[in-house]
Amino acid sequence: MTIQWFPGHMAKARREVTEKLKYVDIVFELVDARLPLSSRNPMMDEIVQQKPRLVLLNKGDLADPHETQKWRQYFENKGYTALIINSHEGKGIKNIVPTCKEILKEKRDRQQARGMKPQAIRAMVIGIPNVGKSTLMNRLVKKNIAKTGNKPGVTKGQQWLKAGNDLELLDTPGILWPKFEDQTIGKKLALTGAIKDNLLHLDDLALYALEFFSKHYPEALKKRYDLTDEDLALEGVELLLLITKKRGFRDDYERASEKIIFEIRSGMLGTFTLDRYSEMKEELNGETTND
């Protein structure tokens, strides 16, 4: 399964982001807490450059809390301030503005010393598709202004939104890189819904999911699909066929694959994190990882 997806509007969005960085004080980099590294655009540092940044690990309610804390500390160690949030339910949102003020304290102090009145912080919200940008912005603005949708590619243009007296937000379309050098990253993104389902084979994705859960969350699989330890020892295809029969789909493994993916995305197998901190040494540029 080779996954590549780079619609033309994404190339345009990257140019627009680069052009409008000069108008903002800080960048909100939104990542999916279930895959904090894989859901980062590898061009992000090149695009954002030295602009102050706040990393927001969104969908924290769906992620393995133990792994999420490791990743939050990872970003802190890299020099970024990081917050764990759940924009859908509004958890952690109230910490964003105070944190921004702290990050920008020196700049705002200098402005005040020159007699300038405090201005609203202007922030750019950026991230890959379906990471929750529009939901976050609606929470901050407290209105359903930004378009939302549980599929990638909903936001197509840029818009400024006023979030109270302290914050103004610039929305941007999700930016994904042209291709995935590591197809595992593509599978992770696909499993969390960052890539349109019609661009991939759902049975291949379900096989990847079953292999991952068998290794890292076997109890969740056993509970959800009434499996035994012996069942989990089956090869991927055999396990998929077994679940297909148990769910009453006879030999319709494609339908079963779709159901498995839906249930994983919906949290029916519990919280999970696809990016395992202790396993991603190469992506972490040789940094030492700790359990």
Side-chain angles (χ1 to χ4, degrees):
M1 178 174 65
T2 300
I3 302 172
Q4 295 190 17
W5 185 48
F6 196 62
H9 77 268
M10 290 187 179
K12 178 182 178 182
R14 180 184 175 183
R15 291 194 299 270
E16 291 177 347
V17 166
T18 302
E19 292 169 359
K20 295 194 175 184
L21 270 174
K22 60 186 177 183
Y23 299 118
V24 303
D25 303 304
I26 190 170
V27 169
F28 293 169
E29 182 186 356
L30 213 57
V31 299
D32 190 323
R34 295 168 295 179
L35 54 162
L37 198 63
S38 297
S39 62
R40 295 188 77 208
N41 189 320
M43 298 183 294
M44 188 64 68
D45 292 340
E46 176 187 338
I47 295 171
V48 176
Q49 299 180 18
Q50 300 303 313
K51 186 69 66 173
R53 194 183 319 182
L54 173 61
V55 178
L56 300 172
L57 291 93
N58 194 27
K59 305 186 181 183
D61 58 313
L62 300 177
D64 182 332
H66 184 57
E67 288 290 319
T68 302
Q69 288 298 335
K70 294 179 184 179
W71 284 111
R72 186 198 63 78
Q73 188 59 54
Y74 163 75
F75 286 116
E76 296 278 354
N77 292 342
K78 295 287 285 185
Y80 304 124
T81 302
L83 296 176
I84 301 167
I85 66 171
N86 170 4
S87 59
H88 182 70
E89 297 180 357
K91 294 181 180 178
I93 302 299
K94 65 181 181 180
N95 298 322
I96 292 178
V97 171
T99 302
C100 285
K101 290 182 177 180
E102 184 63 30
I103 294 173
L104 298 170
K105 186 177 185 304
E106 290 186 11
K107 177 181 178 180
R108 291 166 68 85
D109 286 347
R110 289 195 302 268
Q111 291 174 338
Q112 187 173 3
R114 293 199 297 267
M116 299 174 63
K117 293 182 179 180
Q119 300 291 321
I121 295 171
R122 305 196 90 187
M124 177 186 290
V125 182
I126 193 169
I128 70 166
N130 203 38
V131 79
K133 297 184 301 299
S134 296
T135 303
L136 169 64
M137 296 181 72
N138 287 336
R139 278 286 178 182
L140 290 169
V141 177
K142 298 179 180 179
K143 294 180 181 179
N144 290 324
I145 296 177
K147 294 180 181 179
T148 63
N150 190 25
K151 60 181 180 179
V154 170
T155 306
K156 290 294 194 299
Q158 291 181 324
Q159 54 184 327
W160 282 100
L161 301 175
K162 189 172 178 62
N165 296 322
D166 294 323
L167 185 65
E168 293 180 359
L169 301 169
L170 176 63
D171 189 17
T172 59
I175 302 177
L176 208 63
W177 50 102
K179 62 180 179 179
F180 309 108
E181 299 297 338
D182 182 352
Q183 286 298 307
T184 300
I185 292 178
K187 292 176 181 177
K188 291 178 180 180
L189 290 167
L191 188 57
T192 56
I195 298 171
K196 295 178 180 178
D197 286 344
N198 61 3
L199 297 175
L200 46 92
H201 301 294
L202 294 185
D203 53 339
D204 287 341
L205 189 56
L207 289 173
Y208 165 74
L210 291 175
E211 179 183 0
F212 175 85
F213 272 80
S214 293
K215 179 178 181 181
H216 296 288
Y217 302 101
E219 293 304 316
L221 272 185
K222 288 164 63 177
K223 181 179 179 180
R224 184 66 191 173
Y225 300 115
D226 191 26
L227 302 174
T228 66
D229 290 332
E230 188 175 282
D231 293 334
L232 290 183
L234 295 173
E235 293 293 328
V237 175
E238 294 178 345
L239 180 56
L240 176 57
L241 291 176
L242 176 62
I243 293 175
T244 299
K245 293 178 180 179
K246 281 180 172 288
R247 298 309 294 265
F249 297 144
R250 307 183 80 175
D251 295 325
D252 192 351
Y253 65 89
E254 291 185 1
R255 185 181 173 195
S257 297
E258 183 177 357
K259 188 70 171 178
I260 290 169
I261 294 167
F262 171 79
E263 292 180 348
I264 289 173
R265 290 175 180 171
S266 301
M268 295 181 184
L269 275 74
T271 59
F272 67 93
T273 297
L274 296 170
D275 282 350
R276 311 302 293 183
Y277 184 66
S278 61
E279 295 178 358
M280 304 189 73
K281 295 181 180 180
E282 185 175 345
E283 290 86 345
L284 298 175
N285 297 318
E287 297 174 11
T288 302
T289 59
N290 298 303
D291 294 330

